[in-house]
Amino acid sequence: MAEQQNADGTKRELTKRHVQMIALGGTIGTGLFLGASNSIMKTGPSILLVYLVLGIIFFLMMRGIGELMYHDPDKHTFISFIGKYLGDQVGYFAGWTYWLGIIFVAMAELTAVSKYVQYWFPSWYTWAIQLGVLAILVAINLIAVGLFGEAEFWFAMIKITAIVVMILVGGFMVFTNYKTPIGHASLGNITTHFAMFPNGFMSFVAAFPMVFFAFQGMEFIGITTSETKNPRKVLPKVINEIIYRVLIFYIGAIAVIMAIYPWNSLDPTQSPFVQVFQLAGLKAAAAVINFVVLTAAASALNSYMYSAGRHFYQLALDTDAKFMRHFRKISKTGVPARGILFSAALVLIGPILNSLPQISNAFTFIASVSSDLYIIVYLLTMMAHRKYRQSQDFEPDGFLMPAYKFTSPLVIGFFIAIYLSLFITGDGIWPALGGLIWTVGFMTIIKLTTRKQGIEAGVDIND
């Protein structure tokens, strides 16, 4: 088959299996392998409801993004639709906000990767691990998009294998009423002493933003479309499979965990997978899960480098700033190499900041703010989708968001509710305020700058 190449030089090398695994890799991360114990302890068995509700919301969001990308599969990022349908200023804000969010989350992932490696090699220097890992992943991204897809395929395969094995082992333990040091494996462990809000209603509410951020990254499918072979054939199938992945790999895994390990007996500081495998008699459980979590973090970092390069390339196309013109070129291998390298250079600043006691807390705060800003970007994306539906561009025969008149306001309302919940869940209030300050400040600066330019050109934008 002849190589498919876009007009700007990027290449459509990602296959269906690549995109499927990228979607899965973006959905399943360290939030499940490490953070699920804390969520279960706070919410009890009703955590299954939290995952189900958020799984449905994210699926509907992806159907909205899918409809946009199906309409115009040449867009390098779904953020482009925000500028097209909500205005250049809002699109500019969303583009920079999402890119900076990726950079800060990538910084955090790089720091985590070094800690996982030091589990086996405690004498290795942190900076050397981080530099080596980032160099490898950047090289993967620079060589060809197909190599990135292949790397993500195998990263995701490791995560899937770990979850499937845990579900099968756990299912066997439940079916045989396996006796463990803390009791018997049984579905009764989920329902015994069941309470909808065992730690109070506010703990239940607090679980929603925690699980929300665990799903963060699912939207990466909307960044691969312009480099995917036959996107209008692949995209609908991959997105429609999301809900099944959520049911099996999140809800299925957590149900098995609670059936084996009574939810109120879990150690919130330890991976639930480690605890389950240890009860099953796997002595090397901690080492095995550390390897899985390492690959999960490396997978996330690999995806962030891919995404950051494409978003910075798109930002370069959308602005006339002289500095940004250098990033409009596509390399001979068909990737935005300069955007990838510039993003990687900034990511290396993160570990340095995180190692300084005076700055470490500020770094953590900024990373939290960037995560909260993702909610605002998701919200703007869904608003852009509504504008698309009302425009002449709308394709009634396209890949449509189901029951749009009901589901669209539902998703938008839910995102607003999630952001508001950050103000009543303790530690979330300051990052949430930081997110609002960033949004208002950024948009104010854009409007003032645009107004000044208009006046200098002899045009008042208020006229």
Side-chain angles (χ1 to χ4, degrees):
M1 183 182 290
E3 184 181 77
Q4 298 180 39
Q5 181 166 312
N6 296 316
D8 62 2
T10 54
K11 300 176 181 178
R12 294 186 178 273
E13 295 183 352
L14 296 178
T15 64
K16 177 184 172 183
R17 70 184 180 92
H18 289 149
V19 178
Q20 284 177 322
M21 287 301 182
I22 290 169
L24 197 55
T27 309
I28 300 172
T30 54
L32 175 61
F33 290 106
L34 293 179
S37 289
N38 192 30
S39 300
I40 293 170
M41 283 295 292
K42 284 189 174 183
T43 316
S46 57
I47 191 67
L48 295 172
L49 177 62
V50 177
Y51 273 98
L52 178 61
V53 170
L54 281 166
I56 293 171
I57 293 297
F58 266 83
F59 168 70
L60 293 173
M61 179 190 78
M62 288 309 306
R63 284 297 299 262
I65 291 177
E67 183 175 347
L68 292 170
M69 299 305 297
Y70 187 91
H71 162 68
D72 189 354
D74 291 330
K75 287 284 191 292
H76 285 282
T77 162
F78 64 93
I79 301 293
S80 300
F81 295 100
I82 296 177
K84 182 175 182 179
Y85 293 110
L86 298 184
D88 292 338
Q89 293 180 352
V90 180
Y92 195 63
F93 160 77
W96 278 105
T97 297
Y98 192 80
W99 178 76
L100 286 171
I102 292 171
I103 296 300
F104 277 106
V105 176
M107 288 178 180
E109 291 288 357
L110 185 58
T111 302
V113 165
S114 63
K115 293 179 180 178
Y116 301 143
V117 171
Q118 285 176 327
Y119 175 88
W120 290 292
F121 307 101
S123 62
W124 286 15
Y125 292 111
T126 300
W127 66 265
I129 297 171
Q130 292 169 344
L131 190 61
V133 169
L134 190 62
I136 292 171
L137 296 181
V138 168
I140 289 173
N141 274 274
L142 290 177
I143 293 172
V145 67
L147 183 59
F148 159 78
E150 200 63 29
E152 277 304 288
F153 177 87
W154 291 108
F155 278 143
M157 186 63 73
I158 292 171
K159 291 187 283 187
I160 293 169
T161 301
I163 296 173
V164 170
V165 169
M166 198 277 292
I167 291 176
L168 291 176
V169 170
F172 174 78
M173 293 171 70
V174 171
F175 181 75
T176 59
N177 198 28
Y178 187 87
K179 190 178 187 310
T180 71
I182 61 172
H184 288 273
S186 169
L187 291 176
N189 288 328
I190 300 177
T191 56
T192 300
H193 306 300
F194 175 81
M196 190 67 181
F197 313 120
N199 293 313
F201 180 70
M202 293 313 300
S203 291
F204 178 75
V205 172
F208 277 90
M210 289 174 63
V211 175
F212 183 95
F213 295 129
F215 280 125
Q216 190 173 295
M218 189 183 291
E219 75 282 356
F220 280 167
I221 310 172
I223 304 168
T224 62
T225 310
S226 67
E227 295 171 276
T228 300
K229 297 177 182 178
N230 304 315
R232 287 193 166 182
K233 181 179 179 181
V234 171
L235 196 67
K237 183 172 178 59
V238 171
I239 289 178
N240 282 333
E241 290 173 351
I242 287 175
I243 192 67
Y244 304 114
R245 292 195 292 267
V246 169
L247 289 172
I248 295 172
F249 295 109
Y250 268 111
I251 296 177
I254 290 176
V256 167
I257 289 168
M258 290 192 294
I260 297 170
Y261 221 114
W263 68 269
N264 52 2
S265 300
L266 281 167
D267 181 356
T269 64
Q270 191 178 23
S271 165
F273 282 71
V274 170
Q275 297 177 68
V276 167
F277 281 131
Q278 285 176 337
L279 284 182
L282 181 61
K283 295 181 180 179
V288 171
I289 297 306
N290 187 77
F291 172 73
V292 173
V293 172
L294 172 60
T295 59
S299 169
L301 188 56
N302 193 35
S303 292
Y304 289 136
M305 286 297 94
Y306 173 88
S307 181
R310 272 66 184 174
H311 276 91
F312 204 73
Y313 171 68
Q314 190 64 50
L315 285 169
L317 295 178
D318 293 342
T319 181
D320 293 325
K322 188 175 181 180
F323 170 74
M324 297 295 287
R325 294 174 189 170
H326 300 289
F327 300 96
R328 294 178 181 176
K329 293 186 177 180
I330 296 296
S331 70
K332 292 180 180 179
T333 58
V335 300
R338 294 183 179 183
I340 294 171
L341 289 170
F342 182 74
S343 299
L346 290 185
V347 170
L348 280 176
I349 297 174
I352 298 173
L353 297 178
N354 208 24
S355 66
L356 301 175
Q358 304 90 332
I359 305 178
S360 180
N361 290 337
F363 172 78
T364 302
F365 172 77
I366 294 172
S368 298
V369 170
S370 67
S371 292
D372 292 349
L373 286 169
Y374 272 44
I375 304 176
I376 296 176
V377 173
Y378 291 161
L379 180 62
L380 292 174
T381 303
M382 294 310 299
M383 292 172 67
H385 173 257
R386 290 185 66 83
K387 287 290 186 180
Y388 159 74
R389 274 294 186 111
Q390 298 162 9
S391 72
Q392 295 182 343
D393 296 335
F394 173 55
E395 294 182 28
D397 298 326
F399 179 50
L400 304 183
M401 182 179 184
Y404 158 79
K405 291 184 178 179
F406 169 74
T407 55
S408 176
L410 173 68
V411 174
I412 290 173
F414 202 88
F415 286 160
I416 293 173
I418 287 289
Y419 203 95
L420 291 177
S421 73
L422 297 172
F423 291 95
I424 56 175
T425 53
D427 295 338
I429 184 170
W430 295 112
L433 280 172
L436 290 180
I437 291 170
W438 165 265
T439 302
V440 174
F442 195 107
M443 292 304 298
T444 299
I445 291 173
I446 289 178
K447 287 185 178 297
L448 290 175
T449 302
T450 305
R451 177 166 163 64
K452 181 181 178 181
Q453 292 173 344
I455 292 174
E456 288 176 351
V459 179
D460 191 334
I461 63 172
N462 291 323
D463 289 345

